[in-house]
């Protein structure tokens, strides 16, 4: 399918030049910095690197990608917002999302005055191909957001490539939970599809939610567009430093993922024994979507014991989304659940 990036960008942004700073080429050099009205004193007095190459190199290596295809956000939330701000004209354009899916797509669309078209998932939380083709034939949506594994349902979306191939606008595959999943990342499809963007995050499997680092992958043209148009210093210097330190111990990160997956199996076995549980949906992520006889009651009872879960009722009737915690947290959860009559 013919794809022309210039036709995707909001017209007034074509050729726009971002905030220019000399600083990035002088990072870590002994220079006299009188260019940015910083304070010469203090521990955190300097602005951070706006395009941190060390961190990007590590992320490129981990994801078998090239640094030119990579861009960073203050969490992938910021990249979701920027996607709409770069491609969607307020009060005119629309995005297409799966229903149910990650709530922030709709919230950012609302903030940007962008319309939302929804593709209803079937009872297995999969897209229906016929329905998809029919919907897009009548739609002008600029961006399609596909979340796989999907939040809050937990499942991976079958045959993602079919949707990427058939959509004429930008397709964003949000892989926030991919490291917990047996499925391959869509990053390997980047060479094949110029309309593809993949979003990842350090908040989930990498255990760095507090650092706020989201990672985008796309063609070099799209990547440089995001680097040009993002806020100039969107990742703090402390976050950059701490993320690099965490990646020094990649084995620990991998062990934690393994541990979470083992705990997930045990948690599922425990939940299978709980009388109040109606259904545990299949999950490729670090959480379960669970249908209870009375989700509201379970939610309140757990909250009464200081256990926070995510109530998805009424959109997903009688469902809670529950993350996999430590062994102790999971057994505390199971203990409270087993005592609810
Ligand atoms: C599917 C999905 N995408 C993106 C995000 C946002 O992640 P970040 O912490 O990188 O902003 C989340 C967080 O819950 C998520 O579930």
């Amino acid at each position: 399918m013919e794809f022309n990036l210039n036709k995707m960008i909001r017209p007034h942004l074509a050729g726009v030049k971002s905030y220019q700073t000399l600083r990035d080429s002088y990072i870590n050099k002994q220079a006299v910095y009188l260019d940015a009205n910083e304070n010469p004193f203090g521990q955190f007095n300097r602005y951070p690197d706006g395009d941190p190459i060390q961190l990007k190199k590590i992320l490129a290596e981990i994801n078998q990608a090239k640094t030119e295809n990579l861009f960073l956000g203050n969490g992938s939330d910021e990249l979701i917002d920027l996607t709409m701000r770069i491609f969607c004209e307020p009060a005119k354009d629309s995005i297409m999302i799966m229903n149910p899916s990650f709530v922030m797509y709709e919230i950012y669309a609302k903030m940007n005055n962008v319309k939302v078209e929804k593709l209803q998932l079937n009872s297995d939380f999969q897209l229906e191909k016929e329905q998809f083709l029919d919907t897009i034939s009548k739609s002008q949506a600029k961006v399609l957001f596909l979340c796989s594994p999907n939040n809050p349902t937990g499942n991976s979306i079958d045959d993602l490539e079919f949707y990427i191939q058939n959509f004429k606008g930008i397709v964003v595959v949000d892989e926030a939970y991919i490291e917990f999943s047996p499925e391959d990342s869509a990053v390997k499809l980047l060479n094949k599809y110029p309309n593809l963007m993949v979003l990842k995050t350090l908040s989930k499997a990498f255990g760095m939610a507090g650092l706020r680092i989201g990672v985008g992958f796309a063609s070099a043209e799209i990547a440089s567009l995001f680097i040009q148009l993002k806020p100039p210093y969107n990742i703090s210097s402390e976050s950059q430093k701490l993320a690099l330190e965490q990646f020094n111990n990649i084995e620990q990160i991998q062990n934690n993922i393994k541990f979470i997956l083992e705990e997930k199996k045990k948690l599922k076995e425990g939940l299978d024994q709980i009388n109040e549980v109606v259904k545990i949906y299949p999950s490729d992520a670090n959480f379960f979507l669970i249908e209870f006889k009375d989700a509201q009651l379970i939610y309140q009872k757990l909250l009464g014991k200081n256990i926070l879960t995510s109530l998805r009722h009424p959109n997903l009737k009688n469902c809670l989304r529950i993350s996999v915690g430590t062994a102790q947290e999971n057994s505390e959860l199971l203990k409270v659940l087993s005592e609810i009559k």
Side-chain angles (χ1 to χ4, degrees):
M1 195 168 289
E2 189 72 25
F3 176 77
N4 183 343
L5 180 61
N6 291 326
K7 285 198 179 141
M8 286 292 135
I9 302 166
R10 288 170 66 193
H12 74 287
L13 292 179
V16 80
K17 282 274 163 278
S18 64
Y19 177 67
Q20 297 288 320
T21 165
L22 262 179
R23 192 61 78 83
D24 288 353
S25 44
Y26 278 83
I27 290 280
N28 297 329
K29 288 188 186 158
Q30 287 303 320
V32 178
Y33 296 121
L34 303 178
D35 58 328
N37 299 346
E38 296 151 331
N39 188 321
F41 307 110
Q43 201 181 343
F44 305 108
N45 58 332
R46 298 296 174 197
Y47 283 108
D49 189 347
D51 192 29
I53 191 63
Q54 265 310 92
L55 188 54
K56 284 174 73 171
K57 272 188 186 156
I58 290 174
L59 290 165
E61 195 183 316
I62 291 173
N63 291 286
Q64 291 156 308
K66 293 191 194 127
T67 50
E68 68 189 34
N69 297 113
L70 214 146
F71 49 103
L72 302 180
N74 192 271
S76 49
D77 271 347
E78 183 180 52
L79 297 177
I80 293 167
D81 184 31
L82 275 171
T83 303
M84 295 184 204
R85 290 166 58 194
I86 292 175
F87 298 114
C88 299
E89 204 55 32
K92 176 171 175 279
D93 286 335
S94 58
I95 59 161
M96 194 175 282
I97 63 174
M98 309 189 305
N99 187 33
S101 194
F102 183 45
V103 292
M104 292 310 291
Y105 309 136
E106 204 165 354
I107 292 173
Y108 281 121
K110 199 162 267 179
M111 282 164 59
N112 288 303
N113 197 11
V114 165
K115 283 172 273 179
V116 176
E117 298 175 40
K118 292 186 183 180
L119 293 161
Q120 187 60 43
L121 298 180
N122 68 19
S123 55
D124 294 325
F125 298 131
Q126 289 295 336
L127 285 164
E128 293 281 354
K129 287 184 178 166
E130 285 301 315
Q131 181 210 353
F132 171 77
L133 292 176
D134 184 50
T135 308
I136 61 169
S137 71
K138 299 171 195 147
S139 162
Q140 296 293 322
K142 286 294 256 327
V143 185
L144 167 66
F145 284 90
L146 299 174
C147 187
S148 185
N150 189 26
N151 177 10
T153 58
N155 61 300
S156 301
I157 301 301
D158 293 341
D159 202 1
L160 273 179
E161 201 167 342
F162 174 85
Y163 305 100
I164 301 165
Q165 217 163 53
N166 282 290
F167 190 76
K168 61 181 188 301
I170 301 274
V171 180
V172 177
V173 178
D174 185 341
E175 295 188 337
Y177 300 95
I178 192 82
E179 292 84 6
F180 297 112
S181 144
E183 300 295 325
D184 275 351
S185 166
V187 165
K188 70 174 192 322
L189 299 175
L190 283 177
N191 284 337
K192 220 166 148 187
Y193 300 105
N195 63 331
L196 176 62
M197 284 174 52
V198 180
L199 298 185
K200 299 200 183 204
T201 177
L202 301 192
S203 298
K204 310 294 178 181
F206 293 95
M208 305 183 212
L211 301 187
R212 309 305 302 127
I213 300 177
V215 193
F217 302 85
S219 66
E221 290 75 24
I222 294 181
S224 61
L225 195 61
F226 273 75
I227 293 166
Q228 288 258 323
L229 294 172
K230 71 176 181 57
Y233 306 116
N234 60 337
I235 315 283
S236 80
S237 32
E238 281 305 280
S239 285
Q240 295 181 22
K241 188 177 114 202
L242 294 170
L244 285 173
E245 278 172 26
Q246 296 283 306
F247 281 123
N248 275 337
N249 200 349
I250 190 85
E251 246 170 57
Q252 181 67 51
I253 294 173
Q254 283 160 348
N255 284 342
N256 288 345
I257 296 174
K258 241 186 254 163
F259 179 83
I260 290 166
L261 291 177
E262 280 161 21
E263 273 305 309
K264 180 181 162 191
K265 219 185 267 172
K266 288 188 214 155
L267 179 61
K268 163 84 170 53
E269 285 162 10
L271 287 166
D272 280 335
Q273 308 303 314
I274 303 290
N275 203 25
E276 294 298 308
V277 169
V278 175
K279 180 168 183 175
I280 305 163
Y281 285 94
S283 165
D284 279 345
N286 65 332
F287 59 82
F288 284 111
L289 182 73
I290 307 164
E291 185 185 338
F292 288 90
K293 290 178 188 161
D294 183 345
Q296 184 79 42
L297 173 92
I298 303 290
Y299 177 77
Q300 290 301 341
K301 292 267 187 193
L302 289 172
L303 205 52
K305 299 284 184 183
N306 272 332
I307 298 176
L308 277 67
T309 59
S310 178
L311 182 62
R312 313 312 292 189
H313 188 86
N315 291 337
L316 282 161
K317 196 161 176 275
N318 271 325
C319 282
L320 296 187
R321 192 196 63 204
I322 303 185
S323 319
V324 180
T326 63
Q328 196 194 339
E329 289 169 338
N330 300 334
S331 60
E332 234 176 285
L333 168 78
L334 289 171
K335 181 169 178 292
V336 176
L337 286 175
S338 67
E339 286 165 1
I340 296 173
K341 292 279 171 300

